[in-house]
Amino acid sequence: METIKFIVHWFSYAYYLYVFGYASLFKVFQKQSMMQSMDSLGFNKTWTLGIGVGELLGVLLLLIGLYKPEIKTVGILLLFPFAIGAFTAHMAHGEYHHFYNSLMMCILSIVLLATDKNFKIII
């Protein structure tokens, strides 16, 4: 069971890092398709850059977390609201073909926290 938990955690981590990594860089470097998509959701250039910088900070914390596990947890907790916001924005605007990654990020945020041996959820 521990082996499965370990594999699930690190595959989830890799996909989480990949999705937030490219999304944040597309926003920060103002890729045309991302800027148009964000504009259609009601986010101007300033908001898009702010979201991109916040996501990029979370990605950097995830990368630092490879060496300091407690930092990885902070990165996940920082990125979780961005995942929820993206899911909410796509659903509110009827972009049902775009919501899959944001839904997956919401789920993986919980999976990553639940499978991290350095993080405890106490209910």
Side-chain angles (χ1 to χ4, degrees):
M1 186 64 179
E2 285 299 314
T3 304
I4 293 171
K5 187 174 162 182
F6 177 83
I7 291 169
V8 166
H9 180 81
W10 288 105
F11 274 115
S12 299
Y13 179 82
Y15 188 65
Y16 198 77
L17 193 58
Y18 167 73
V19 171
F20 272 114
Y22 83 76
S24 66
L25 290 176
F26 282 5
K27 290 175 184 99
V28 169
F29 291 121
Q30 301 177 29
K31 184 174 182 192
Q32 189 64 29
S33 60
M34 179 63 80
M35 297 305 281
Q36 288 173 345
S37 177
M38 292 295 286
D39 189 51
S40 74
L41 294 173
F43 297 102
N44 62 19
K45 183 177 178 181
T46 304
W47 275 103
T48 302
L49 288 174
I51 292 167
V53 169
E55 289 176 345
L56 188 57
L57 177 61
V59 167
L60 293 174
L61 291 173
L62 287 176
L63 291 173
I64 294 168
L66 290 171
Y67 302 101
K68 292 185 157 273
E70 62 275 6
I71 302 298
K72 179 176 71 173
T73 302
V74 172
I76 294 166
L77 291 172
L78 175 67
L79 290 171
F80 190 31
F82 287 104
I84 293 169
F87 178 71
T88 304
H90 288 302
M91 292 300 286
H93 287 88
E95 293 184 342
Y96 304 116
H97 56 285
H98 284 298
F99 82 93
Y100 295 109
N101 270 343
S102 55
L103 175 60
M104 186 58 89
M105 295 304 99
C106 292
I107 294 168
L108 289 183
S109 296
I110 301 300
V111 168
L112 285 168
L113 292 173
T115 59
D116 191 343
K117 60 185 171 188
N118 297 310
F119 182 77
K120 300 286 186 242
I121 299 173
I122 300 172
I123 299 176

